[in-house]
């Protein structure tokens, strides 16, 4: 038959099939006069058309018949006779066999259908070679191997009768330490394999059997991978042809088919999870493989402790898991989740390291593993959301750098509040410039502000209600970001949501709840609500101390947070010991060096505000050395340290030295962030300040205007950083006698703070104070006075009555009254200010001098010569003692 | 019967979407797709015969081995993949059937029967081999029809998928299928 004939047959077939039976033959005979053979041909087809045939039943029955073949090719394998089938896996069938001469039993594995492909035969042989080289009491032993006459390969190995690890533990209601010891034995076997360059690749409880005598055997190296050498190939080994067991497979194994020792470590982590929690981390039972892969790659598991609690609640069982205290659970969570971290780089590097931590746990020692930092989690979140977050790759890089950097430096935003405690106007300006607004990581130019990015993040976090733990984490992180962005209301909403969520998940007392309390406390700190801040942070700290080991980094961080709140409220004598304690904890072996550097920076700042410049200086030098080791020479942290060192030089009046530090910092920052970045703007501002102090106003003004331009473009017109730049420009203008410019600058500054802080923040007071200074220079004393009265009223609302700023404000108010010759009123204000300032451990000399001068003059004018004399004497002795320390 | 051509995933099918290979990572995607498809097949086995013991895993493995030992496939549509799975399934079954028949005709070693069902399997082997041979013949007469039967029978493609794969209408699929089915049935009854 040829194609044309077949075409003709088909046409006839379709036509004939439509006809009634008896009309077909006449029809065909008519049409096939030239080729009578066609008639029978077509009629036979029509006949077949009506009958059932093989194709109708689908392939399944045929496949079942052909593939579901339990027959062994022979009963005898060398000296062994098979007695029954034990099971079949992807690679072969395993039979139980008896060795007739010795009466011993063994397992025989044969490769059925070995003909199917050379690759299969090769893998079967590889398993055999693997077993041959692994001799370990916890690995089933290879006895013998050969090939049948028909080419079927087989090998004999130790028969292990036992229960899968998890079933054994459930049946014997093993305690957590018992479970961990069994798990450790499994780790030892895996470690042995790794030492012989073998990756198991299919670790799961059913491959880890516990025998009656309690000993353990690791089985099934069927898809094990032989590494070629000790190091390089560990990373890029493809999983190959066989089905993994998805529940225990690592994300990279499922997604990219990569396998290395790290995939085994992940699988061990899942086995441990199941042992601890009584459940697998993910329920994949109803998922397609693609869904399962997505879950494994993207979903964060519940902590084992939370899962165990949930299981216990549902079943009323899990006596073993309830015997573990909360602190111990926290360690088990870290241990287990480190082993099964989604990022291979963040898992235990070796099985030994995993075993060491198991030992540490069993011995009650601190673990070597550390939970993920916020920095890591935020970075990951940003990476995961890069698609929706940014349009262009360059933009993206900027955003990631910014957001990550910005979370890195939680230290900085809080320092905004530090300004409040500043002793002198110079320190105020310094703090405003240096720290105001935090590192909020402005958005890439005009196109996409970070706020937008974070808004989308928050939006997305709200959809994650199926994963409350992750959601709480994200709420917390994003809340922190909003806080740095100055969106306090949104920060508040999210941080509260995180706290509520965690209380629901974990109960009233839990390390995560403590972390949330502290985060909320730090928000209050940023809002200058210090009572509330201190209460929240103290609660969080106490909870952390109750729930965690003293060496836990979270305890140290909580202690540092308390130090910071105390610092921000001006209680340096209390802040310094708290920060010293945090630094001590972080200096212990295993402490986080980056945390330590941050704490020491804070400690240096506390000393700075307390006027201990030498102490601050030596701490800053220490931090500079640490940061250079941690981050390299040209990292922004190093630049910050240089700026802090410059600040001390500035206070000492060594302006050229300050300028050198500030220039070095500017250079690093400009290289790191580029010329148009807000960080660069900040550094420009600080350098400008050093220039102003050397009366180089024109130079300074150029830098400050550059800074302002950058900040307005990046942050928009209403932002703390813009306000801070305006403050500096205003001051330069005032020094140059450009009073209109100065007035405009300070006005805008005040307006910005009013808008940002709902008309209630000490920073508004600082702006108005400066504005009042301009009026004063213009001899508009009544206006100046009215402003200062407003400032005093504002401070009274938000600050402690004996706060330094209040002292300064009343002295300034006194000065405006003096200038109006209202000596009686002036004396009242100046004295009140003077008394407040005298309570400070390091009173700002300039304002003390102003107070004394004014008081002496006022008492003269009101005929109180004794009082006047007293303040004059003080003026003389103060200037003798202080030397050149004041300007 | 014409000589069998070696299977190749990259072999161009008439009307089938064909893309070039990119990287081996796609093997894993293919794998998960195969898995789903073959699971579906296996489930249908269980539906048709509740006592069936065929493990879906075994099916998947066999098919996957076929695929993975082929040259690395390119970026491939799900449909095209199904087409490939069908080819793999055909080959797995044909080779299993050949092997079984070879054993039946006597390779010296006695077959150890651990449970029953081998007779049925032997019968199935003949059917599959006959169908395979008939399909090769059909491919000579009309390659599209042979592809169609292979895809629908071994790969479980439905009518609309088959139509899409071959770039023809569903009516044409049904029409071609009917004729091919009748022809194959007759070939199986009277080979040659």
């Amino acid at each position: 038959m040829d194609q044309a004939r077949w075409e003709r047959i088909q046409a006839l077939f379709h036509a004939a099939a439509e006809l009634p039976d008896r009309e077909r033959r006449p029809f065909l005979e008519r049409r096939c006069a030239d080729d009578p053979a066609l008639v029978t041909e077509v009629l036979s087809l029509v006949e077949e058309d009506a009958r059932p045939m093989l194709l109708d039943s689908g392939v399944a029955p045929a496949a079942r018949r052909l593939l579901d073949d339990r027959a062994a090719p022979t009963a005898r394998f060398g000296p062994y006779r098979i007695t029954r089938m034990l099971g079949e896996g992807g690679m072969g069938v395993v039979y139980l066999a008896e060795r007739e001469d010795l009466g011993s039993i063994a397992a025989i594995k044969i490769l059925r259908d070995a003909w199917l492909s050379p690759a299969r035969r090769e893998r079967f042989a590889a398993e055999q070679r693997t077993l041959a080289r692994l001799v370990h009491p916890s690995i089933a032993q290879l006895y013998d191997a050969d090939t049948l006459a028909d080419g079927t390969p087989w090998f004999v190995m130790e028969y292990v009768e036992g229960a899968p690890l998890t079933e054994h533990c459930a049946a014997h209601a093993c305690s957590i330490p018992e479970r961990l010891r069994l798990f450790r034995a499994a780790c030892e076997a895996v470690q042995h394999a790794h030492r012989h360059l073998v990756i198991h690749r299919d670790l799961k409880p059913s491959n880890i059997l516990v025998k009656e005598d309690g000993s353990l055997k690791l089985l099934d190296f069927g898809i094990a991978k032989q590494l070629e050498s000790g190091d390089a190939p560990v990373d890029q080994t493809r999983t190959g042809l066989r089905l993994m067991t998805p529940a225990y497979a690592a994300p990279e194994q499922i997604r990219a088919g990569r396998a290395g020792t790290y995939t085994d470590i992940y699988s061990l982590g899942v086995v441990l999870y199941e042992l601890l929690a009584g459940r697998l981390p993910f329920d994949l039972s109803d998922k397609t493989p693609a869904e399962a892969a997505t879950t494994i790659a993207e979903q964060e598991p519940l902590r084992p402790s939370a899962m165990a609690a949930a299981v216990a609640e549902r079943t009323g069982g899990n006596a073993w898991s309830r015997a573990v205290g909360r602190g111990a659970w926290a360690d088990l969570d870290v241990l287990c989740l480190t082993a099964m971290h989604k990022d291979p780089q963040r898992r235990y590097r070796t099985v030994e390291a995993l075993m060491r931590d198991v030992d540490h746990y069993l011995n009650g020692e601190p673990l070597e593993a550390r939970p993920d930092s916020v920095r890591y989690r935020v970075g990951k979140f940003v990476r995961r959301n890069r698609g929706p977050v940014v349009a262009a790759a360059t933009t993206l890089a900027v955003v990631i750098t910014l957001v990550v950097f910005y979370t890195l430096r939680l230290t900085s935003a809080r320092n905004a509040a530090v300004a409040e405690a500043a002793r002198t106007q110079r320190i105020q300006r310094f703090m405003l410039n240096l720290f105001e607004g935090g590192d909020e990581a402005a958005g890439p130019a005009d196109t996409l502000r970070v706020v937008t990015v974070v808004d989308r993040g928050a939006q997305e976090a709200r959809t994650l209600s199926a994963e409350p733990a992750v959601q709480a984490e994200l709420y917390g992180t994003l809340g922190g970001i909003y806080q740095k962005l100055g969106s306090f209301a949104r920060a508040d909403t999210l941080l509260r949501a995180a706290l509520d969520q965690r209380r629901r998940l974990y109960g009233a007392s839990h390390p995560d709840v403590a972390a949330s309390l502290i985060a909320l406390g730090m928000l209050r700190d940023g809002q200058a609500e210090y009572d509330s801040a201190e209460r929240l942070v103290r609660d969080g700290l106490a909870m952390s101390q109750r729930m965690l080991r003293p060496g836990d980094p979270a305890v140290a961080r909580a202690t540092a947070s308390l130090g910071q709140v105390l610092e921000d409220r001006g209680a340096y004598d209390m802040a310094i010991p708290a920060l010293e304690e945090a630094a001590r904890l972080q200096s212990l072996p295993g402490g986080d060096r980056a945390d330590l550097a941050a704490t020491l920076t804070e400690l240096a700042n506390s000393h700075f505000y307390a006027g201990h410049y030498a102490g601050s200086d030596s701490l800053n030098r220490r931090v500079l050395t640490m940061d250079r080791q941690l981050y390299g020479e040209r990292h922004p942290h190093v630049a910050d340290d240089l700026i802090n060192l410059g600040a001390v030089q500035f206070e000492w009046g060594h302006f050229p030295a300050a300028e050198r530090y500030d220039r070095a910092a500017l250079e690093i920052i400009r290289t790191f962030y580029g010329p148009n970045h807000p960080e660069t703007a900040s550094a420009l501002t600080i350098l400008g300040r050093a220039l102003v102090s050397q009366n180089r106003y024109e130079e300074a003004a150029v830098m400050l205007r550059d800074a302002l331009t950058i900040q307005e473009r990046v942050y928009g017109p209403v932002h703390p950083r813009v306000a801070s730049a305006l403050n500096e420009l205003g001051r330069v203008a005032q020094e140059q006698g450009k009073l209109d410019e100065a007035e405009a600058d300070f006005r805008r500054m005040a307006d910005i703070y009013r808008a940002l802080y709902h008309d209630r923040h000490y920073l508004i007071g600082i702006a108005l104070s400066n504005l009042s200074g301009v009026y004063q220079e213009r001899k508009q004393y009544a206006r100046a006075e009215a402003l200062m009265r407003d400032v005093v009223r504002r401070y009274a609302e938000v600050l402690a009555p004996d706060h330094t700023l209040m002292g300064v404000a009343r002295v300034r108010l006194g000065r405006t009254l003096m200038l109006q010759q209202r000596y009686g009123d002036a004396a009242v204000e100046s004295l009140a200010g003077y008394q407040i300032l005298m309570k400070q451990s390091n009173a700002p000399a300039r304002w003390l001098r102003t107070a004394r001068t004014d008081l002496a003059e006022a008492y003269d004018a009101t005929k109180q010569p004794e009082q006047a004399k007293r303040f004059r004497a003080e003026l003389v002795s103060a200037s003798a003692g202080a030397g050149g320390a004041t300007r | 019967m014409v000589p069998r051509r070696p299977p190749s995933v990259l072999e161009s099918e008439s009307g089938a979407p064909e893309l070039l290979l990119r990287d081996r990572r796609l093997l894993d995607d293919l794998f998960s797709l195969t898995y789903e498809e073959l699971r579906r097949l296996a489930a249908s086995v269980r539906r048709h015969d509740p006592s069936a013991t065929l493990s879906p895993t075994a099916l998947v493995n066999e098919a996957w081995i076929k695929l993975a030992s082929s040259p690395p496939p390119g970026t491939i549509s799900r449909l095209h993949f199904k087409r490939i799975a069908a080819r793999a399934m055909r080959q797995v079954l044909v080779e299993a059937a050949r092997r079984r028949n070879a054993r039946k005709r006597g390779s010296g070693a006695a077959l150890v029967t651990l449970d029953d069902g081998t007779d049925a399997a032997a019968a199935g082997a003949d059917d599959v081999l006959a169908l395979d041979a008939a399909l090769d013949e059909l491919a000579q007469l009309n390659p599209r029809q042979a592809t169609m039967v292979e895809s629908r029978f071994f790969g479980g493609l439905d009518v609309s998928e088959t139509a899409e794969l071959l770039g023809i209408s569903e009516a044409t699929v049904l029409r071609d299928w009917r004729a091919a089915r009748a022809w194959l049935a007759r070939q199986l009854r009277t080979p040659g």
Side-chain angles (χ1 to χ4, degrees):
Chain A
M1 197 187 331
D2 60 22
Q3 295 189 359
R5 187 175 168 84
W6 172 234
E7 287 303 316
R8 187 171 174 198
I9 289 172
Q10 287 187 82
L12 291 168
F13 163 77
H14 290 298
E18 298 306 310
L19 296 172
D21 285 359
R22 60 175 192 285
E23 288 176 25
R24 280 186 196 124
R25 182 171 285 273
F27 162 78
L28 289 169
E29 282 169 347
R30 267 198 316 278
R31 302 285 296 270
C32 306
D34 57 321
D35 187 356
L38 281 181
V39 177
T40 27
E41 176 100 35
V42 173
L43 282 177
S44 73
L45 291 182
V46 173
E47 236 174 85
E48 294 294 349
D49 186 50
R51 289 186 187 150
M53 76 159 293
L54 179 64
L55 293 186
D56 303 341
S57 53
V59 75
R64 177 170 56 78
R65 284 200 300 271
L66 286 170
L67 298 180
D68 191 23
D69 176 7
R70 291 167 162 260
T74 177
R76 203 174 278 282
F77 293 79
Y80 296 92
R81 168 176 290 278
I82 60 176
T83 52
R84 68 183 167 91
M85 182 164 147
L86 289 171
E88 61 177 313
M91 276 298 299
V93 192
V94 183
Y95 300 96
L96 182 65
E98 190 180 344
R99 178 157 179 160
E100 293 182 313
D101 47 351
L102 301 176
S104 62
I105 54 170
I108 290 187
K109 184 165 184 176
I110 71 164
L111 179 66
R112 204 169 50 190
D113 298 337
W115 43 268
L116 213 52
S117 80
R120 267 176 107 240
R121 289 196 293 277
E122 175 43 42
R123 281 188 302 117
F124 191 81
E127 179 181 2
Q128 184 183 313
R129 283 197 303 275
T130 299
L131 281 179
R133 63 193 287 163
L134 297 180
V135 179
H136 187 274
S138 293
I139 295 177
Q141 179 84 49
L142 181 78
Y143 293 150
D144 199 358
D146 205 348
T147 304
L148 293 181
D150 70 349
T152 300
W154 56 273
F155 62 76
V156 186
M157 60 186 169
E158 182 181 355
Y159 172 61
V160 181
E161 192 165 20
L165 179 56
T166 41
E167 285 174 25
H168 171 90
C169 290
H172 292 76
C174 292
S175 69
I176 290 283
E178 286 167 339
R179 282 161 200 253
L180 284 171
R181 279 185 203 102
L182 283 168
F183 175 72
R184 196 190 183 289
C187 288
E188 268 179 39
V190 175
Q191 186 205 348
H192 177 83
H194 287 182
R195 219 184 281 139
H196 289 81
L197 309 181
V198 172
I199 312 166
H200 188 284
R201 297 203 291 193
D202 197 18
L203 292 168
K204 54 184 174 183
S206 60
N207 283 337
I208 304 169
L209 297 189
V210 184
K211 302 199 326 188
E212 274 298 302
D213 64 4
S215 67
L216 175 147
K217 294 277 185 190
L218 178 58
L219 304 179
D220 196 358
F221 283 81
I223 59 167
K225 173 72 188 178
Q226 182 69 56
L227 300 172
E228 282 139 37
S229 72
D231 31 35
V234 180
D235 257 15
Q236 296 290 336
T237 307
R238 297 202 53 92
T239 303
L241 312 181
R242 193 183 131 170
L243 265 185
M244 300 159 288
T245 311
Y248 299 90
E252 71 276 7
Q253 206 173 357
I254 285 195
R255 274 281 154 95
R258 287 205 314 270
T261 50
Y262 49 83
T263 43
D264 276 356
I265 290 169
Y266 179 92
S267 301
L268 283 171
V270 179
V271 170
L272 178 59
Y273 190 106
E274 202 177 359
L275 285 175
L276 296 174
R279 278 278 193 293
L280 281 165
F282 306 112
D283 180 7
L284 304 176
S285 54
D286 291 333
K287 292 193 158 67
T288 65
E291 288 165 356
T294 304
T295 302
I296 288 165
E298 287 171 11
Q299 193 176 317
E300 288 300 333
L302 266 187
R303 288 161 196 257
S305 55
M307 180 66 94
V311 170
E313 197 167 302
R314 234 173 298 147
T315 64
N318 278 17
W320 85 83
S321 70
R322 285 204 229 96
V324 181
R326 278 176 183 275
W329 261 125
D331 274 355
L332 290 173
D333 286 346
V334 169
L335 205 165
C336 184
L337 295 179
T338 302
M340 54 182 291
H341 204 289
K342 298 208 184 302
D343 179 354
Q345 298 294 315
R346 298 187 68 88
R347 289 177 205 148
Y348 289 105
R349 307 298 273 188
T350 60
V351 180
E352 279 101 320
L354 169 58
M355 283 161 58
R356 272 205 306 279
D357 259 0
V358 171
D359 290 342
H360 286 319
Y361 176 85
L362 289 172
N363 298 333
E365 299 157 359
L367 301 192
E368 292 169 27
R370 293 273 161 266
D372 280 342
S373 62
V374 169
R375 176 196 326 180
Y376 173 80
R377 288 190 301 258
V378 171
K380 200 175 69 169
F381 178 77
V382 171
R383 280 193 296 281
R384 211 169 44 217
N385 291 281
R386 58 176 62 184
V389 160
V390 276
T394 47
T395 319
L396 168 72
V398 174
V399 171
I400 290 177
T401 312
L402 292 175
V403 174
V404 172
F405 175 65
Y406 148 60
T407 36
L408 281 181
R409 290 190 56 218
L410 296 174
T411 37
S412 298
R414 65 195 178 213
N415 292 324
V418 152
E420 165 250 356
R423 298 274 170 184
T424 69
Q425 206 181 18
R426 284 204 308 274
I427 297 181
Q428 290 167 23
R429 277 198 302 274
F430 164 64
M431 291 316 305
L432 287 171
N433 288 331
L434 185 49
F435 295 121
E436 180 55 333
D439 308 316
E440 52 272 60
D446 315 313
T447 50
L448 189 66
R449 303 281 312 287
V450 163
V451 180
T452 319
V453 176
V454 181
D455 282 350
R456 289 186 195 166
Q459 209 68 46
E460 184 167 322
R462 283 188 193 98
T463 66
L464 285 173
S465 49
E467 298 173 72
V470 177
Q471 195 177 34
E473 199 81 63
L474 282 176
Y475 281 162
T477 303
L478 294 168
I481 293 176
Y482 275 131
Q483 180 181 344
K484 306 306 176 305
L485 292 170
S487 304
F488 290 141
R490 277 188 271 198
D492 191 74
T493 308
L494 286 180
L495 292 178
R496 277 171 187 280
L499 177 62
D500 292 346
Q501 186 101 291
R502 284 177 167 162
R503 279 180 169 149
R504 272 197 301 278
L505 275 171
Y506 310 123
S509 282
H510 186 277
D512 284 0
V513 174
S516 267
L517 286 170
I518 290 166
L520 201 53
M522 295 319 287
L523 172 64
R524 296 285 173 269
D525 185 64
Q527 292 168 304
E529 293 176 22
Y530 299 118
D531 287 341
S532 162
E534 187 177 336
R535 200 168 51 245
L536 284 161
V537 172
R538 281 193 189 279
D539 285 354
L541 173 61
M543 192 181 292
S544 300
Q545 285 167 335
R546 264 200 323 278
M547 319 268 328
L548 299 170
R549 284 179 296 103
D552 195 293
V555 174
R557 274 196 291 272
T559 310
S561 297
L562 177 62
Q564 198 189 307
V565 172
L566 293 168
E567 176 191 332
D568 290 351
R569 72 180 312 168
Y572 306 120
D573 50 340
M574 288 160 78
I576 287 169
L579 290 166
E580 280 172 347
E581 168 63 6
R584 185 188 68 76
L585 292 171
Q586 286 160 347
S587 302
L588 295 175
D592 187 325
R593 302 263 304 159
D595 280 359
L596 175 60
T599 302
L600 290 177
T601 298
E602 224 47 66
L603 190 57
N605 289 344
S606 288
H607 281 297
F608 181 88
Y609 305 128
H612 313 147
Y613 298 128
S616 179
D617 190 57
S618 72
L619 280 165
N620 280 328
R621 285 179 199 284
R622 190 174 155 203
V623 175
L624 177 65
T625 309
M626 288 176 72
D627 281 347
R628 281 183 166 149
Q629 281 165 4
L630 281 166
Y631 306 107
E633 288 286 336
R634 304 191 57 80
H635 190 276
H637 280 3
V638 170
D640 292 343
D641 299 338
L642 292 171
I643 284 171
N644 284 353
L645 283 165
V648 172
Q649 295 301 323
F650 191 99
E651 289 312 313
W652 278 335
H654 305 156
F655 304 120
E659 183 189 337
R660 278 195 298 279
Y661 279 122
D662 293 344
R663 280 198 192 276
L666 171 64
E667 207 233 321
I668 292 175
I669 287 171
R670 185 148 46 195
T671 313
F672 191 91
Y673 292 104
N676 293 315
H677 192 277
E679 290 297 332
T680 306
S682 266
L684 282 168
T685 310
I686 291 161
L687 177 57
R689 180 185 67 121
L691 296 172
V692 167
S693 301
Q694 299 172 71
N695 301 327
R696 285 149 66 185
Y697 299 119
E698 293 302 331
E699 267 177 89
V702 170
M703 301 223 159
L704 295 171
R705 269 194 293 271
D706 278 356
L708 180 63
T709 308
I710 294 172
Q711 281 159 337
E712 283 182 318
R713 191 172 50 72
V714 171
Y715 298 117
V718 179
H719 192 278
R721 288 238 170 147
V722 174
S724 183
L726 285 166
N727 189 34
E728 209 58 46
L729 269 173
R731 191 174 157 246
V732 170
Q734 194 173 354
E735 295 282 356
Q736 293 174 294
K738 300 174 180 171
L739 295 183
D740 289 350
E741 267 181 43
E743 180 184 352
D745 290 341
F746 291 136
R747 269 189 191 287
R748 248 194 90 194
M749 172 187 173
D751 289 345
I752 289 171
Y753 285 137
R754 276 203 192 96
L756 285 175
Y757 301 115
H758 304 293
D759 208 20
R760 197 186 141 88
H761 199 286
Y762 71 87
L763 286 169
I764 303 165
I766 290 175
L768 296 177
S769 251
N770 291 344
L771 183 56
S772 158
V774 177
Y775 292 147
Q776 197 176 296
E777 259 186 67
R778 281 206 195 117
K779 308 190 191 315
Q780 299 173 319
Y781 303 127
R783 272 183 102 174
E785 179 201 336
L787 264 185
M788 282 321 298
R789 289 201 186 275
D790 186 30
V791 170
V792 168
R793 184 185 56 73
R794 285 172 184 278
Y795 284 166
E797 277 176 20
V798 296
L799 298 177
D802 56 354
H803 195 280
T804 306
L805 277 179
M806 180 62 102
V808 171
R810 299 197 75 171
V811 172
R812 291 183 74 141
L813 175 57
R815 174 54 70 92
T816 63
L817 296 164
M818 286 295 298
L819 291 167
Q820 300 174 72
Q821 288 101 41
R822 287 158 59 190
Y823 301 112
D825 295 345
V828 172
E829 294 302 328
S830 297
L831 185 62
Y834 169 81
Q835 281 163 350
I836 293 170
L837 292 180
M838 285 305 283
K839 286 184 199 167
Q840 315 300 325
S841 54
N842 185 52
R846 173 181 166 187
W847 294 108
L848 264 180
R849 200 174 63 234
T850 305
R852 285 171 176 141
T853 310
D854 290 356
L855 280 168
E857 200 173 317
Y859 286 129
D860 273 344
T862 54
K863 315 278 185 248
Q864 299 175 64
E866 287 310 305
Q867 295 286 7
K869 198 172 153 193
R870 172 189 150 201
F871 286 107
R872 269 203 193 88
E874 277 191 22
L875 269 175
V876 172
S877 65
S879 71
T886 57
R887 261 188 337 124
Chain B
M1 183 163 153
V2 297
R4 292 169 57 85
R5 284 165 300 142
S8 164
V9 171
L10 287 176
E11 176 191 354
S12 208
E13 313 290 345
S14 70
E18 193 72 51
L19 293 158
L20 292 176
L21 65 143
R22 234 176 252 158
D23 64 5
R24 288 194 64 89
R25 178 172 295 229
L26 284 154
L27 269 173
D28 291 324
D29 297 337
L30 278 177
F31 163 73
S32 86
L33 289 168
T34 321
Y35 183 83
E36 286 170 44
E37 282 311 300
L38 293 181
R39 257 184 74 120
R40 199 180 53 70
L41 276 174
S44 84
V45 170
R46 284 196 297 277
R47 270 198 303 280
H48 285 111
D49 180 2
S51 67
T53 52
L54 173 62
S55 103
T57 316
L59 265 177
V60 171
N61 280 324
E62 305 300 47
W64 173 241
I65 283 161
K66 273 294 165 200
L67 286 173
S69 53
S70 302
T75 309
I76 241 166
S77 74
R78 182 183 178 81
L79 191 58
H80 189 48
F81 173 72
K82 284 188 170 194
R83 168 79 192 89
I84 293 163
R87 168 64 58 89
M89 178 62 82
R90 175 176 171 185
Q91 245 186 318
V92 165
L93 294 182
V94 165
E95 296 198 33
R98 281 195 183 146
R99 184 74 187 175
R100 189 178 301 272
N101 280 359
R103 210 160 60 196
K104 192 172 66 185
R105 280 190 285 276
S107 56
L111 201 69
V112 180
T113 302
L114 292 167
D115 60 14
D116 46 25
T118 44
D119 289 347
D126 287 339
D127 283 348
V128 167
L129 289 175
L131 177 63
D132 181 57
L135 271 177
D136 281 343
E137 272 188 79
L138 180 59
Q140 295 297 303
L141 296 176
N142 186 328
R144 189 174 80 188
Q145 276 174 313
T147 301
M148 179 185 295
V149 172
E150 188 177 88
S151 306
R152 289 195 65 191
F153 181 69
F154 290 104
L157 274 73
D158 64 22
V159 174
S160 69
E161 287 171 328
T162 310
E164 193 189 333
L165 177 78
L166 298 175
I168 56 181
S169 73
E170 294 187 17
T172 307
V173 171
L174 289 172
R175 195 177 159 85
D176 275 9
W177 170 262
R178 191 176 175 187
R181 176 186 172 280
W183 187 85
L184 287 168
R186 201 194 55 198
Q187 292 302 105
L188 295 188
R189 198 175 308 280
T190 53

